[in-house]
Amino acid sequence: YHWSGVKLMSIMQMFLGAAGAGEETIEDLFQTKLWTGSSSTITVSDGVKNLSKGGLLWIKRRNGTGDGSAGSDESSPHFLFSTEHLATSTTSDEYLNTDSNNPLATLDSTGTITWTNSGYTVPSGNSDINENGDGDYVAWNFRKGEGFFDIVKWDGNSTNRTIPHELGSVPGFIMVKSHVAGTGGTGWMCYHRSSGATKFYRMDTDREEQDNDTVWNDTEPTSLVFTVGTHEDVNTSTNSREYIAYVFGHTDGLIDCGTYNGDSSDQTVDCGFSNGSSWIMVKPVGADSWWVFDVERGITTGNDPQLYAGGGDLEDTGNNNVKPHSSGFIVTGSSEISNSDGRQYVYVAIAEPD
């Protein structure tokens, strides 16, 4: 498969003249949805075929107090639901939190996420994902697709090993988590292509880039596999640990995993896009967390809502750290989280459709 602009087409279909049937666009693979807390189930028909293709739904409450009253002073975890963790053939009630090292947890009597071939539904009654009077929510929907995203699971065996993936290209970013309930918590371990396999990041803490050869065994991923060592957070047999990895691509015109150096003035980060970025996650190589921006909440020339992936903090709307640009995005100002002079940053950016 190859990307031309934002469309994916199989070479075989090109030869057969059946291009229309095999095309996929960014909209097929990724969507952002906003809603206000409701007493009813939220039905999202975004065209993403989660049920048949598989994917990840990442939900975060943006504001509100969590008790049905107005306000903005209470934190709320990030909730990650996956088609790899099914309660039934079409529903999921287990989740992970990027801001916690806890294993899988289960929704209470609220209900379940229901996967469809046009999107998903979110039950009401849980203040962290959808409850009347509890504020506003955002959901990022990532679907499995070549060159874009994959999800894989494995049982820990305390031996250096390779883990197969179906990305069809070399990953740009990988998030790994032990997900078995009852075995105790382990942290989120992250690989980024700009730092390489001798380094790792944490998602659930503000720690800097770190070096440990037992994480990725100092071995770069390929278009077929990535490597894990014997570190307990990626591959131990102790307590019968099981692991899950969210694997992101690095594909021209679709998703870019790169780096830049802050300089405390406006600078363009060129991702090779043609219509700007729809979603950006950025982290200083030094101590600080991952911060998430998206075009639905606003990537503008003014203040941009930002969410802290490593904590439950509610949305910060008082800073102007990114601006739109057709090739990717612009970092502006001198914030420590995105453009401090002398600091290096890594990022993951997804293209906005043309």
Side-chain angles (χ1 to χ4, degrees):
Y1 289 80
H2 76 282
W3 278 91
S4 176
V6 297
K7 293 187 176 181
L8 182 67
M9 182 186 304
S10 74
I11 296 174
M12 182 176 291
Q13 287 167 333
M14 292 174 65
F15 282 120
L16 293 175
E23 293 180 354
E24 287 187 324
T25 65
I26 292 174
E27 296 101 312
D28 296 323
L29 299 171
F30 175 76
Q31 293 280 348
T32 299
K33 178 66 176 179
L34 309 178
W35 66 83
T36 298
S38 171
S39 57
S40 301
T41 295
I42 298 293
T43 299
V44 176
S45 298
D46 57 12
V48 177
K49 296 182 178 180
N50 299 99
L51 184 59
S52 61
K53 302 293 187 179
L56 165 69
L57 183 64
W58 182 341
I59 301 176
K60 178 72 174 76
R61 179 158 62 85
R62 303 166 58 195
N63 49 39
T65 63
D67 60 5
S69 64
S72 58
D73 58 355
E74 184 177 306
S75 65
S76 176
H78 295 254
F79 275 57
L80 277 64
F81 299 92
S82 164
T83 53
E84 299 299 312
H85 297 135
L86 293 174
T88 71
S89 61
T90 61
T91 64
S92 294
D93 62 358
E94 294 181 309
Y95 60 87
L96 292 167
N97 307 121
T98 58
D99 48 300
S100 168
N101 67 357
N102 291 332
L104 275 173
T106 303
L107 287 174
D108 50 26
S109 57
T110 300
T112 61
I113 299 293
T114 299
W115 308 101
T116 73
N117 270 328
S118 61
Y120 54 91
T121 67
V122 180
S124 181
N126 184 307
S127 64
D128 292 314
I129 60 174
N130 178 40
E131 187 161 25
N132 189 41
D134 270 346
D136 300 308
Y137 300 81
V138 60
W140 303 302
N141 191 6
F142 304 84
R143 203 210 80 188
K144 289 183 180 181
E146 287 195 28
F148 180 65
F149 182 69
D150 193 22
I151 307 174
V152 294
K153 295 194 299 185
W154 65 95
D155 296 333
N157 69 1
S158 299
T159 303
N160 295 333
R161 63 192 293 195
T162 58
I163 305 296
H165 64 81
E166 297 183 355
L167 198 62
S169 60
V170 179
F173 181 66
I174 305 171
M175 299 164 56
V176 174
K177 180 75 177 70
S178 174
H179 66 268
V180 176
T183 62
T186 58
W188 287 88
M189 308 298 276
C190 300
Y191 162 88
H192 195 285
R193 62 181 292 273
S194 297
S195 298
T198 63
K199 309 291 185 181
F200 72 94
Y201 294 94
R202 291 283 298 268
M203 177 68 67
D204 52 311
T205 73
D206 291 349
R207 296 186 67 176
E208 68 282 356
E209 171 191 79
Q210 298 174 74
D211 186 339
N212 188 325
D213 62 9
T214 66
V215 178
W216 314 120
N217 197 34
D218 288 356
T219 305
E220 295 295 331
T222 73
S223 60
L224 297 176
V225 301
F226 61 91
T227 299
V228 292
T230 58
H231 194 285
E232 66 175 351
D233 288 349
V234 296
N235 185 37
T236 182
S237 58
T238 302
N239 295 322
S240 301
R241 288 204 187 276
E242 299 176 12
Y243 298 85
I244 190 165
Y246 304 122
V247 186
F248 295 80
H250 174 70
T251 304
D252 289 348
L254 174 61
I255 181 170
D256 187 61
C257 302
T259 185
Y260 64 90
N261 293 315
D263 65 6
S264 297
S265 63
D266 284 13
Q267 63 167 313
T268 299
V269 180
D270 188 348
C271 302
F273 301 156
S274 58
N275 196 37
S277 301
S278 63
W279 187 86
I280 304 163
M281 183 167 66
V282 62
K283 185 199 184 311
V285 170
D288 213 320
S289 185
W290 301 86
W291 293 86
V292 184
F293 306 83
D294 64 72
V295 74
E296 294 299 321
R297 291 181 298 132
I299 297 175
T300 70
T301 56
N303 289 351
D304 309 290
Q306 59 194 36
L307 284 166
Y308 170 38
D313 305 44
L314 300 184
E315 190 174 75
D316 180 352
T317 60
N319 294 284
N320 181 18
N321 292 324
V322 296
K323 296 180 181 178
H325 191 276
S326 59
S327 70
F329 58 97
I330 295 171
V331 287
T332 186
S334 58
S335 170
E336 289 286 326
I337 73 168
S338 59
N339 195 32
S340 178
D341 189 28
R343 294 195 89 180
Q344 183 183 0
Y345 298 84
V346 292
Y347 67 85
V348 180
I350 298 172
E352 174 75 352
D354 289 331

